[in-house]
Amino acid sequence: DGLALGICNGFQALIKLGLVPYGDIREQVANAPTLTFNNINRHISTIAQIRVATNKSPWLNACKLSEVYNVALSHGEGRFVSSEEELQKIIKNGQIATQYVNQTANATMQSPFNPNGSMYAIEGIISPP
């Protein structure tokens, strides 16, 4: 009955609980979206550019779609992974909130722009609209 925002370990907790992307608490299963170890298997501390992919969240409703921001990152387990089936549901529902982008504001899997190797360059997601 309220808003929740998860940053860093808070985001990881919301994913592990199922609140994002499902909108309710549920047991985590093998194909569920989660955060895991960075591709380089060590801690990352850097600044990355992210692009707003949706403003369907109260946290993002004042943002313009495709706006790019510089954000500080510091984590060892920040790589977003999911089964392709679950990922397609997230995409279809418009739940990708932010994505890592390169210098031309295009989502990318390339390091160092996507510093942890997140699938589809996903930096953040929202619960179902």
Side-chain angles (χ1 to χ4, degrees), residues 80-100:
F80 181 86
V81 296
S82 175
S83 70
E84 191 62 35
E85 177 185 353
E86 290 296 314
L87 192 52
Q88 289 307 313
K89 291 177 189 174
I90 290 169
I91 293 167
K92 182 180 177 188
N93 288 337
Q95 292 176 255
I96 297 175
T98 51
Q99 291 177 287
Y100 296 110

Side-chain angles (χ1 to χ4, degrees), residues 5-109:
L5 175 66
I7 298 171
C8 197
N9 289 64
F11 180 51
Q12 188 171 30
L14 291 174
I15 287 178
K16 301 281 185 186
L17 285 170
L19 288 171
V20 290
Y22 305 115
D24 57 26
I25 296 174
R26 56 176 71 179
E27 190 172 326
Q28 193 169 30
V29 295
N31 68 339
T34 192
L35 295 178
T36 191
F37 297 102
N38 302 329
N39 271 353
I40 63 171
N41 290 319
R42 65 177 171 82
H43 187 269
I44 292 171
S45 183
T46 190
I47 303 290
Q49 288 192 311
I50 62 165
R51 179 184 67 204
V52 175
T54 187
N55 56 9
K56 294 180 182 180
S57 163
W59 301 112
L60 299 169
N61 67 3
C63 296
K64 293 179 185 163
L65 292 179
S66 299
E67 271 188 320
V68 175
Y69 296 93
N70 292 319
V71 296
L73 305 174
S74 183
H75 57 253
E77 295 182 45
R79 181 169 54 109
F80 181 86
V81 296
S82 175
S83 70
E84 191 62 35
E85 177 185 353
E86 290 296 314
L87 192 52
Q88 289 307 313
K89 291 177 189 174
I90 290 169
I91 293 167
K92 182 180 177 188
N93 288 337
Q95 292 176 255
I96 297 175
T98 51
Q99 291 177 287
Y100 296 110
V101 295
N102 60 19
Q103 296 129 321
T104 57
N106 292 312
T108 183
M109 290 297 298

